[in-house]
Amino acid sequence: MGDSYSAGAGDLPLDLTAPPTCVRSTANYANDITRATGASLTDVTCSGATTANFTTSQGIGIAPQLDAATSAAQLVTMTIGGNDSNVFANVMDGCAAASATTLGQGNPCEQQYGSSFADTINSTTYPAIVQALKAVKAKAPHARVAILGYPWIAPAVGGCYPTLPIAVGDIPYVHGIQATLNDAVRRAAGAAGAIYVDMSDPSNGHDACEAPGVRWVEPVVTTNSLSVGHPNALGESEMAAQVRSVLHLP
């Protein structure tokens, strides 16, 4: 289950059985886990999914994701929450637009938006994730339910403007917003009795400003244009490895 970070959005090869708008990859972390463990997989990940899409359709031909959860399920994994209230998109688009006004200098995004993104995560996204996780556990009562944090997009300092179009002074700000989101995911897992799979520590040094072959997330200016701002195949495989480690999968 989950959003584009679980779908492996844009990573080749694409899953041709998925609704086209989901841009799902057969190289996503769920498929990596399946290949490693020999488990059977029902993959309903879809780019753009929010917590609301666990119970409501994303569009024509896309069933609510909870429809796939059953009492026979043994493991349910996901990333979810980044699209709630359009937080991810608004941060990246808003900060990119702001950075253009200063040619990548200063912290124009932080000056414009302040604590608004973090406030939305804590007041709206967090309780929505809790509710979503509880709904999954109700539909799949015998399954272990695991939710992953999001691997780093921006480094803690520095950045790589314009490859990642965030002004140098806004890099800590954007990094901090993602830290707030991952903390909300962690707290929601605890509140709902789910398992939290941390991706913050493992993805240090693998953000979108690192070189190809090192980075787990693609920047905006990239040769892997289908997965801009999302985990590449290496990132998905590392997410799978972290899930297997935390859950002690074979």
Side-chain angles (χ1 to χ4, degrees), residues 51-52 54 66 78 80 127-137:
T51 53
F54 280 14
L66 267 177
M78 72 193 77
I80 201 70
I129 299 173
V130 173
Q131 183 178 359
L133 288 170
K134 288 182 176 179
V136 172
K137 290 178 70 68

Side-chain angles (χ1 to χ4, degrees), residues 8-12 217-220 222-233:
D11 292 333
L12 299 177
V217 175
E218 291 298 306
V220 172
T222 173
T223 56
N224 191 4
S225 59
L226 289 175
S227 54
V228 164
H230 289 85
N232 52 35

Side-chain angles (χ1 to χ4, degrees), residues 154-236:
V157 294
C160 53
Y161 184 88
T163 303
L164 186 66
I166 300 170
V168 63
D170 278 324
I171 287 292
Y173 173 65
V174 171
H175 188 87
I177 292 168
Q178 188 173 352
T180 299
L181 176 60
N182 281 339
D183 185 63
V185 172
R186 179 191 62 81
R187 290 186 292 115
I195 301 165
Y196 175 62
V197 179
D198 173 49
M199 290 304 305
S200 295
D201 286 345
S203 65
N204 279 327
H206 299 283
D207 56 78
C209 285
E210 296 295 336
V214 177
R215 65 185 180 229
W216 296 356
V217 175
E218 291 298 306
V220 172
V221 180
T222 173
T223 56
N224 191 4
S225 59
L226 289 175
S227 54
V228 164
H230 289 85
N232 52 35
L234 174 60
E236 291 289 330

Side-chain angles (χ1 to χ4, degrees), residues 3-235:
D3 56 25
S4 54
Y5 271 57
S6 290
D11 292 333
L12 299 177
L14 296 181
D15 182 353
L16 300 181
T17 68
T21 55
C22 290
V23 203
R24 185 186 303 154
S25 172
T26 59
N28 64 19
Y29 73 79
N31 273 281
D32 285 343
I33 292 170
T34 299
R35 284 187 285 268
T37 62
S40 61
L41 171 66
T42 299
D43 190 350
V44 293
T45 57
C46 191
S47 296
T50 68
T51 53
N53 296 128
F54 280 14
T55 55
T56 62
S57 171
Q58 268 183 264
I60 297 173
I62 307 175
Q65 292 193 19
L66 267 177
D67 287 3
T70 70
S71 60
Q74 296 178 302
L75 173 64
V76 181
T77 65
M78 72 193 77
T79 53
I80 201 70
N83 294 320
D84 282 42
S85 302
N86 289 319
V87 165
F88 259 156
N90 289 343
V91 169
M92 299 308 295
D93 293 347
C95 289
S99 71
T101 67
T102 63
L103 299 180
Q105 300 303 304
N107 63 332
C109 193
E110 183 176 19
Q111 291 183 35
Q112 181 174 351
Y113 295 103
S115 67
S116 61
F117 296 121
D119 292 344
T120 297
I121 290 167
N122 287 319
S123 66
T124 305
T125 306
Y126 165 72
I129 299 173
V130 173
Q131 183 178 359
L133 288 170
K134 288 182 176 179
V136 172
K137 290 178 70 68
K139 280 294 299 292
H142 305 298
R144 288 192 289 175
V145 177
I147 183 168
L148 288 71
Y150 292 92
W152 295 119
I153 300 172
V157 294
C160 53
Y161 184 88
T163 303
L164 186 66
I166 300 170
V168 63
D170 278 324
I171 287 292
Y173 173 65
V174 171
H175 188 87
I177 292 168
Q178 188 173 352
T180 299
L181 176 60
N182 281 339
D183 185 63
V185 172
R186 179 191 62 81
R187 290 186 292 115
I195 301 165
Y196 175 62
V197 179
D198 173 49
M199 290 304 305
S200 295
D201 286 345
S203 65
N204 279 327
H206 299 283
D207 56 78
C209 285
E210 296 295 336
V214 177
R215 65 185 180 229
W216 296 356
V217 175
E218 291 298 306
V220 172
V221 180
T222 173
T223 56
N224 191 4
S225 59
L226 289 175
S227 54
V228 164
H230 289 85
N232 52 35
L234 174 60

